[in-house]
Amino acid sequence: MKNVKLIIEYDGTNYCGWQKQKNNITVQGTLEKALNKATNERVDAIGSSRTDAGVHARGMVCNFITSSSIPAERFREAINRHLPSDVAIIKSEEVEESFHARYSSKGKSYSYTIINRYENVVIGKNFCCQVRENLDIDSMKMACKYFVGQHDFQAFQSKGSSVKTTIRTIDELCIEKEKDTIKIHVTADGFLYNMVRIIVGTLIQVGKGKIKADYVGNIIESLDRMKAGPCIKANGLVLEKVYY
Amino acid sequence: MKNVKLIIEYDGTNYCGWQKQKNNITVQGTLEKALNKATNERVDAIGSSRTDAGVHARGMVCNFITSSSIPAERFREAINRHLPSDVAIIKSEEVEESFHARYSSKGKSYSYTIINRYENVVIGKNFCCQVRENLDIDSMKMACKYFVGQHDFQAFQSKGSSVKTTIRTIDELCIEKEKDTIKIHVTADGFLYNMVRIIVGTLIQVGKGKIKADYVGNIIESLDRMKAGPCIKANGLVLEKVYY
């Protein structure tokens, strides 16, 4: 028996998120089918994160236990053979028995892409959120500072998940703009349910002038979901990397 | 009667190119259907370029003559209402009677995206050509110099088009690399059939070490299509801008 770790890239557009569902096509379900074909076993894939419908990944991590004789490094090709073109194994390697894609994770990085222009977006539309009103990028950058560090992020969590604590540490939250593309990068030791999308939703409100940059500290302190911005749409979000 | 100029963005993935065809879905055909609905007329859309199947555009230009009472600037919204999500009008404006999207053009810019890595590409796969072998970007940059300027580009033309002259002037050909993404930008007064894709195909051969950078001048001089690299696949190509 060996424990195999996979790094997976996927275009989440046509999936109902990561987690297996009975009647919907999900990334985990699709991957497990491919795993079963590659190993001739019934294999459970343990994912690092349960990305929502429409969210993408460049660096989703998962692990599975197998008694297959395929060398761990060969799993990449062996599984890719059975995957559709919107999911690909980037790397496969053997890891310690104790490695668990979810519980061993020490941190994660996400990116979020906003296209800020009035004209309809066509190229890349499944990988961004379009904002037609002009965003003040300097205010958004100022607002970022309040998020960095250890905070109780209860105000930035959607209902529907139970976690022991809503305290998380954001190591980095930065924004870069090139032409009409605004890219937000965020790294933390972990994220609450919809946390990145609510942070980005709040930053957009700041960019529109509806929330003042220096009020963001108060929103965090309030622990009040109603004070933060909306949960912005899923398809601008990419799980970039999981740290162990 | 007025002459209306449109700037159009499209994702060419699901189209058999720009030019109208009887039994296939094309961008021109799709646009004309939308134009007919918006104007209640039978309108011919004159395109600046006949992009091939799978080629995209951020700045395709077209013009049409109409007697519709819709103000020219309003055509953007009026036409967008009838277009699928992979085609969008970015701008509409009235132009002089003599303006012709194709014959008035003074130059064009294209971009071409290569993803240079071994691992399968998922995100953005319809907008790039993947090259798995490591490309030597410095040699490719050196090779670019030979293309710039006025040359007879007969060696960089696919069969199937009749043009008066195969002499063109390339104003700029540059390459930038960020992580595994190589982006090539090219601007010329005009392009022969498949010219950008054959230039990129040749640059890739240079990057692989199969053609020496300083041999590129000889290929151009030879006027021999057989000496140049292959016509690389369409979907890395984007028509960025047309100059008038």
Side-chain angles (χ1 to χ4, degrees):
Chain A
M1 301 290 275
K2 60 187 165 226
N3 190 4
V4 179
K5 176 188 172 193
L6 303 175
I7 298 178
I8 309 158
E9 178 169 317
Y10 55 82
D11 172 348
T13 307
N14 297 317
Y15 292 91
C16 295
W18 166 264
Q19 200 171 22
K20 237 186 315 188
Q21 293 178 27
K22 251 193 175 163
N23 300 311
N24 289 308
I25 293 171
T26 66
V27 182
Q28 189 186 27
T30 303
L31 176 65
E32 287 188 353
K33 268 189 202 164
L35 277 173
N36 296 349
K37 280 182 191 159
T39 59
N40 285 316
E41 294 174 334
R42 247 195 65 77
V43 166
D44 290 313
I46 300 161
S48 60
S49 325
R50 286 171 289 191
T51 56
D52 284 330
V55 174
H56 316 288
R58 274 199 192 82
M60 168 64 94
V61 173
C62 102
N63 73 294
F64 62 95
I65 309 291
T66 179
S67 60
S68 161
S69 62
I70 302 173
E73 317 76 55
R74 294 282 190 84
F75 266 109
R76 174 173 63 188
E77 315 299 339
I79 305 167
N80 276 340
R81 210 167 294 140
H82 302 288
L83 284 172
S85 66
D86 49 7
V87 182
I89 309 301
I90 300 300
K91 194 179 176 186
S92 62
E93 59 177 331
E94 189 165 354
V95 284
E96 286 176 18
E97 204 187 322
S98 62
F99 178 88
H100 185 285
R102 186 156 168 222
Y103 300 132
S104 306
S105 154
K106 290 200 167 61
K108 284 168 197 167
S109 290
Y110 282 90
S111 71
Y112 196 97
T113 303
I114 299 165
I115 307 279
N116 186 26
R117 71 179 199 194
Y118 178 76
E119 301 82 9
N120 291 359
V121 172
V122 168
I123 293 182
K125 67 177 186 301
N126 292 334
F127 296 90
C128 74
C129 166
Q130 177 175 16
V131 177
R132 290 177 197 262
E133 294 168 63
N134 194 37
L135 296 175
D136 177 354
I137 193 87
D138 292 330
S139 301
M140 292 170 75
K141 282 182 178 171
M142 268 170 56
C144 282
K145 292 179 210 162
Y146 295 93
F147 290 101
V148 177
Q150 180 176 292
H151 300 284
D152 186 334
F153 285 103
Q154 211 178 304
F156 296 85
Q157 175 187 233
S158 290
K159 280 176 193 164
S161 88
S162 59
V163 282
K164 279 180 205 155
T165 167
T166 47
I167 294 172
R168 294 290 184 274
T169 301
I170 293 185
D171 298 305
E172 193 195 20
L173 175 61
C174 65
I175 303 187
E176 50 187 42
K177 183 170 179 174
E178 209 203 313
K179 291 180 192 166
D180 56 16
T181 303
I182 296 172
K183 216 158 176 183
I184 297 167
H185 300 273
V186 58
T187 301
D189 57 353
F191 291 92
L192 304 171
Y193 184 45
N194 285 340
M195 181 167 149
V196 181
R197 289 163 61 188
I198 301 170
I199 289 176
V200 174
T202 305
L203 290 173
I204 288 172
Q205 294 298 80
V206 170
K208 286 178 177 174
K210 292 185 180 168
I211 293 176
K212 286 199 170 164
D214 60 10
Y215 186 66
V216 168
N218 300 39
I219 298 175
I220 298 173
E221 274 173 39
S222 76
L223 308 180
D224 182 358
R225 174 69 191 90
M226 301 297 288
K227 290 206 163 63
C231 177
I232 204 76
K233 68 183 213 177
N235 55 3
L237 189 61
V238 181
L239 172 58
E240 294 284 353
K241 196 168 177 175
V242 185
Y243 301 92
Y244 293 96
Chain B
M1 300 292 274
K2 61 186 166 229
N3 190 5
V4 180
K5 176 188 172 194
L6 303 175
I7 299 179
I8 309 158
E9 177 168 319
Y10 54 83
D11 172 348
T13 307
N14 297 317
Y15 293 91
C16 294
W18 166 264
Q19 200 171 23
K20 238 186 313 189
Q21 293 177 28
K22 250 192 177 163
N23 299 312
N24 289 308
I25 293 172
T26 66
V27 182
Q28 189 186 26
T30 303
L31 177 64
E32 288 188 351
K33 268 189 203 166
L35 278 172
N36 296 348
K37 280 182 191 161
T39 59
N40 285 316
E41 296 174 335
R42 248 195 65 76
V43 167
D44 290 314
I46 300 161
S48 60
S49 326
R50 285 171 291 192
T51 56
D52 284 329
V55 173
H56 316 288
R58 275 200 191 80
M60 167 65 92
V61 173
C62 103
N63 73 296
F64 63 94
I65 310 290
T66 179
S67 59
S68 161
S69 62
I70 301 172
E73 318 76 56
R74 294 284 191 82
F75 266 110
R76 173 173 66 189
E77 314 300 338
I79 305 165
N80 276 341
R81 212 167 292 140
H82 302 288
L83 284 172
S85 66
D86 48 8
V87 182
I89 309 300
I90 299 302
K91 195 180 175 183
S92 62
E93 60 175 333
E94 189 165 354
V95 284
E96 287 174 20
E97 205 186 321
S98 63
F99 178 88
H100 186 285
R102 187 157 167 220
Y103 300 132
S104 307
S105 154
K106 290 201 167 62
K108 284 168 198 167
S109 289
Y110 283 91
S111 70
Y112 196 98
T113 303
I114 299 165
I115 307 279
N116 187 27
R117 71 179 200 195
Y118 178 77
E119 301 81 10
N120 291 0
V121 173
V122 168
I123 293 182
K125 67 177 186 301
N126 292 333
F127 297 89
C128 75
C129 165
Q130 178 175 14
V131 177
R132 290 175 196 264
E133 293 169 64
N134 194 37
L135 295 176
D136 177 354
I137 192 87
D138 293 328
S139 303
M140 293 170 75
K141 282 182 180 172
M142 269 169 56
C144 282
K145 292 179 210 161
Y146 295 93
F147 289 101
V148 177
Q150 181 176 288
H151 301 283
D152 186 333
F153 285 104
Q154 210 177 305
F156 296 85
Q157 176 187 232
S158 290
K159 280 177 193 162
S161 88
S162 58
V163 282
K164 279 180 206 156
T165 167
T166 47
I167 294 172
R168 295 289 183 277
T169 302
I170 292 185
D171 298 304
E172 194 194 18
L173 175 61
C174 66
I175 304 187
E176 51 187 42
K177 184 171 179 174
E178 209 205 313
K179 291 180 190 166
D180 56 16
T181 302
I182 296 171
K183 215 158 177 183
I184 297 168
H185 300 274
V186 59
T187 301
D189 57 353
F191 291 92
L192 304 171
Y193 185 45
N194 284 340
M195 180 167 150
V196 181
R197 289 163 60 188
I198 300 169
I199 289 176
V200 174
T202 305
L203 289 174
I204 289 172
Q205 295 297 82
V206 170
K208 286 178 177 174
K210 292 184 180 170
I211 293 177
K212 285 199 171 166
D214 59 12
Y215 186 66
V216 169
N218 302 41
I219 298 175
I220 297 173
E221 275 173 39
S222 77
L223 308 180
D224 182 358
R225 173 71 190 89
M226 300 298 287
K227 289 205 163 62
C231 177
I232 205 75
K233 69 182 211 176
N235 55 2
L237 189 61
V238 181
L239 172 58
E240 294 284 352
K241 197 169 177 173
V242 185
Y243 301 92
Y244 292 96

